[in-house]
Amino acid sequence: MRLAVLSDVHGNAVAFQAVIDDMKRMAPDAVVFLGDIVMRGPQPSECVELLRSLEPLATVRGNYDHMFTRYPKSPDWKPETFKENMQYRAFQYDRARLTAEQQHWIAHWPMGQALTLNGIQTELYHASASSFVQITYPWATLEQLDSLHQYEETKLVLTAHTHHAFVRQAMGRTVVNGGSVGIPFDRDNRASYAVIDLSGNDIAVQLRRISYDIDRAIAIAKDLSMPDVDLFEYGLRHALYPYYEGAVPGSSPGSSPDVPQPAMPAAP
């Protein structure tokens, strides 16, 4: 069985279409989506419909999808922090472009799913079994990797959220993060996803990086007057987390409560 694993599109339909074109050449038997189809990018509705066209075997809710279940709707609610203001602008932009039915669909994805794929017990989460926002980087400890799953019989754990692609082995399990389709943060600005081949007890993983027209994605965002487009452009061009106070194009990236950028560990 061949499985395509997609996540973190964040409204970037140009990148998503490039990944879909590549994925068709890979001819997977099934597609799963690990959350964050919307927010931050200019084309949320188009991305929702592209995902639907793939008829995914499973979808799980990301932290930004989850906003459509809980975000304050009162006109009297006022965001207080830089991050809240930015999220509020993105939410209002997306809510104006998504139909009520599309919003209902993404808001009601489950937080996680457990599937048996070709005889292999598999768990799917945006971040972990217990959190939408747990941070697990490629250099995580074995104990951190072992905290992602829920069931002892699980052999394959699929996760996302950090926008860093990796494959790790931990405590008898394979942990795969396919990275971000729409806006990677691992200093490689090509769109990212994973293809997994399952044969008996064997698990083989490809982390695929796909070039796409970044200039076109940015031009669409500008044409549509998307809020915080300068930060979106910085993120797409540099593949670094841009959503923190004081970030401007050409500046050095800083840390963020959402997806921090710690120093890379020294080489052994």
Side-chain angles (χ1 to χ4, degrees), residues 41 86 98:
M86 189 168 50
L98 293 164

Side-chain angles (χ1 to χ4, degrees), residues 39-177:
M39 299 282 283
R40 308 291 203 198
Q43 295 180 283
S45 180
E46 290 86 346
C47 288
V48 167
E49 294 311 310
L50 284 171
L51 178 60
R52 280 178 152 159
S53 74
L54 300 177
E55 299 182 350
L57 175 67
T59 55
V60 298
R61 195 187 325 159
N63 55 303
Y64 282 111
D65 309 315
H66 188 57
M67 285 189 173
F68 289 88
T69 72
R70 65 172 178 83
Y71 210 94
K73 294 182 174 61
S74 168
D76 299 326
W77 186 83
K78 302 297 183 185
E80 296 178 355
T81 66
F82 174 82
K83 181 179 176 182
E84 286 178 352
N85 272 284
M86 189 168 50
Q87 289 176 335
Y88 186 74
R89 290 191 294 269
F91 180 78
Q92 295 294 352
Y93 177 90
D94 278 29
R95 192 166 66 172
R97 285 160 177 78
L98 293 164
T99 68
E101 188 277 332
Q102 287 174 325
Q103 293 177 51
H104 183 273
W105 184 55
I106 64 176
H108 288 79
W109 293 340
M111 181 176 172
Q113 292 201 44
L115 306 173
T116 300
L117 301 173
N118 208 60
I120 295 174
Q121 174 77 13
T122 305
E123 293 182 46
L124 295 73
Y125 303 107
H126 183 64
S128 75
S130 60
S131 171
F132 286 120
V133 294
Q134 181 173 328
I135 300 296
T136 308
Y137 281 116
W139 51 89
T141 66
L142 294 181
E143 289 74 20
Q144 287 171 327
L145 292 169
D146 196 45
S147 73
L148 301 178
H149 73 284
Q150 182 175 3
Y151 305 108
E152 284 305 308
E153 60 269 28
T154 292
K155 296 300 180 185
L156 176 61
V157 181
L158 307 180
T159 184
H161 182 57
T162 59
H163 300 214
H164 284 245
F166 67 85
V167 181
R168 291 281 305 278
Q169 301 292 330
M171 314 293 194
R173 296 179 183 85
T174 301
V175 180
V176 179
N177 186 323

Side-chain angles (χ1 to χ4, degrees), residues 192-204:
S192 181
Y193 78 107
V195 172
I196 304 176
D197 288 297
L198 306 172
S199 178
N201 292 323
D202 298 334
I203 301 172

